[in-house]
Every structure is written in structure tokens, then in C-alpha cells.
């Protein structure tokens, strides 16, 4: 049974507050710095263009260390904590959404979603775990005198290949965002159209 009433609803609804928008922007900026500096360290053409390898290394290290900070600060926001709860909770409708995605079923009726769809939940969980692994392996590579060489070699292998995977996943994430102007508007202004909310997230009750 629908929880909506017959009273007129506004044409736009609130999706994100100031805290959620700040966390997303700060995290995106730090992640962008990490990816850009990593490219300058591992792609010869970029390395020659930028130069100053030592500076690039230091910027990369400090941006990586700071990456969890926006999320930790965001925990002070009740709305952000609520969003984390939504992202960490999978329900039967999420399994339906994932099954439809795997079968390339693009019908809206086959992809039920609350405030966040199952794809967004999987992405959020994966990128959070990947960030922690990158932070741990990066620390092993940074403090070379504290660990055996075998640990550092393994950490470097994991760090490098996971960095490549993150770059590919981020490219997909950005591509999805470019294909949904209303979702981008929600992150920029905090509001989305009622029509978009009903179509893309029919189980969400803003």
C-alpha cells in the first residue's frame, strides 16, 4: 500500500543536505587527486609532462591519507549517517534490481529502488573497501623500514593493480553520472524533480 497521500506534492524534493554534498565533493576531489597523481607516477608520458616526481609522490601520499577524512567528519551529520544506513542495507528489492541489471532488463518496473538503488549500494561498498585496502598497502609502501621486503613487494603489487581497477570503476561511475543530469543536479543543488524520484526510485519516500 502506498504511503503517499492525495494532497498536492511539490515538483522538487530534497535528496541531499549540505553535509552529504560536502562529503561527496571532498571525497571526489581527493580521489581525483589520487588518480591524477598516480597517472603521473606510472604513465611515462604524464611523468615527463609534469616532472617533479618527488612533489607528485608527496601529494599522492597525503591525498591518500586524507581520503577517509570527509566520511569521518560527515558522521557528525545525522542525514549523512542515515544515508550510510540506506547504503549498508540490502533488501529483497535490491536482489530484484541486480537480477534485472544482470539480464539487461531496462524496464523501470523490473528495477525497484529506495533512495539508493542496488548498483549504487554495491559501488559504495566496493569503493569503501578498496579505499581501505589502498590506504593499508600505501602505508606499507611508505614506511619501508617497518616491514619485511616481501610484505612491501606484495603491497606494491596489490596497490598498483587495485589502483588500475579503481580507475576503471571510477570511469564507469562518472559515465553513469554523465548519463543522468537529474542525479547530478541532486548532488549539486540537493534537490531532484518529483517525477525523476518516482521513476528512478519508486520505493523512496522523501
Amino acid at each position: 500500500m502506498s504511503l503517499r497521500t492525495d494532497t498536492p506534492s511539490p515538483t522538487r524534493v530534497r535528496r541531499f543536505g549540505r553535509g552529504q554534498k560536502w562529503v561527496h565533493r571532498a571525497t571526489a576531489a581527493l580521489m581525483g587527486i589520487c588518480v591524477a597523481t598516480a597517472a603521473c607516477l606510472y604513465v611515462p608520458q604524464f611523468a615527463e609532462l609534469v616532472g617533479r616526481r618527488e612533489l607528485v609522490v608527496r601529494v599522492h601520499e597525503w591525498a591518500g591519507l586524507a581520503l577517509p577524512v570527509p566520511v569521518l567528519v560527515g558522521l557528525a551529520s545525522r542525514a549523512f549517517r542515515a544515508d550510510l544506513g540506506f547504503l549498508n542495507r540490502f533488501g529483497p528489492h535490491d536482489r530484484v534490481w541486480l537480477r534485472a541489471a544482470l539480464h539487461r532488463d531496462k524496464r523501470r518496473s523490473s528495477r525497484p529502488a529506495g533512495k539508493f538503488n542496488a548498483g549504487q549500494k554495491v559501488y559504495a561498498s566496493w569503493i569503501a573497501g578498496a579505499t581501505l585496502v589502498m590506504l593499508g598497502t600505501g602505508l606499507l609502501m611508505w614506511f619501508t623500514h617497518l616491514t619485511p621486503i616481501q610484505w612491501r613487494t606484495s603491497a606494491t603489487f596489490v596497490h598498483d593493480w587495485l589502483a588500475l581497477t579503481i580507475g576503471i570503476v571510477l570511469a564507469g561511475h562518472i559515465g553513469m553520472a554523465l548519463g543522468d543530469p537529474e542525479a547530478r543536479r541532486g548532488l549539486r543543488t540537493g534537490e531532484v524533480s518529483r517525477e525523476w524520484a518516482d521513476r528512478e526510485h519508486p520505493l523512496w519516500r522523501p
Side-chain angles (χ1 to χ4, degrees), residues 38-160:
C40 293
L41 293 172
Y42 288 98
V43 180
Q45 292 83 354
F46 292 158
E48 293 174 3
L49 181 65
V50 175
R52 306 191 67 179
R53 181 179 178 85
E54 188 64 25
L55 175 61
V56 174
V57 169
R58 292 294 169 259
V59 172
H60 182 79
E61 290 171 341
W62 285 106
L65 283 175
L67 200 52
V69 172
V71 173
L72 295 176
V73 174
L75 293 175
S77 165
R78 181 181 300 177
F80 179 70
R81 294 197 303 272
D83 276 358
L84 288 181
F86 291 136
L87 287 168
N88 289 329
R89 191 177 302 118
F90 274 75
H93 61 280
D94 293 310
R95 290 190 287 274
V96 173
W97 193 101
L98 288 173
R99 192 179 305 117
L102 290 173
H103 289 86
R104 300 183 182 278
D105 185 349
K106 296 183 178 181
R107 293 174 301 164
R108 300 297 180 189
S109 60
S110 67
R111 297 195 179 192
K115 184 173 185 180
F116 302 103
N117 63 44
Q120 292 167 331
K121 293 178 180 181
V122 170
Y123 169 78
S125 299
W126 186 87
I127 200 68
T131 298
L132 292 176
V133 173
M134 292 295 284
L135 180 61
T137 54
L139 289 172
L140 289 177
M141 295 162 61
W142 192 357
F143 297 103
T144 57
H145 60 288
L146 297 180
T147 55
I149 188 170
Q150 185 176 0
W151 289 22
R152 300 198 302 272
T153 302
S154 300
T156 301
F157 177 84
V158 172
H159 196 87
D160 291 352

Side-chain angles (χ1 to χ4, degrees), residues 1-10 194:
M1 183 177 69
S2 173
L3 297 179
R4 301 218 173 141
T5 64
D6 295 330
T7 56
S9 59
R194 171 70 67 176

Side-chain angles (χ1 to χ4, degrees), residues 1-28:
M1 183 177 69
S2 173
L3 297 179
R4 301 218 173 141
T5 64
D6 295 330
T7 56
S9 59
T11 58
R12 303 196 67 79
V13 295
R14 172 71 64 178
R15 184 163 174 80
F16 299 115
R18 183 180 301 175
Q20 296 125 302
K21 290 187 293 181
W22 178 86
V23 171
H24 186 270
R25 290 170 185 172
T27 302

Side-chain angles (χ1 to χ4, degrees), residues 136-199:
T137 54
L139 289 172
L140 289 177
M141 295 162 61
W142 192 357
F143 297 103
T144 57
H145 60 288
L146 297 180
T147 55
I149 188 170
Q150 185 176 0
W151 289 22
R152 300 198 302 272
T153 302
S154 300
T156 301
F157 177 84
V158 172
H159 196 87
D160 291 352
W161 282 102
L162 185 55
L164 177 61
T165 306
I166 288 174
I168 295 172
V169 172
L170 284 176
H173 178 67
I174 293 171
M176 294 290 290
L178 291 175
D180 195 339
E182 192 63 25
R184 298 200 312 273
R185 188 175 295 111
L187 282 169
R188 187 176 67 254
T189 68
E191 295 183 346
V192 294
S193 69
R194 171 70 67 176
E195 186 272 336
W196 179 89
D198 290 340
R199 184 183 71 248

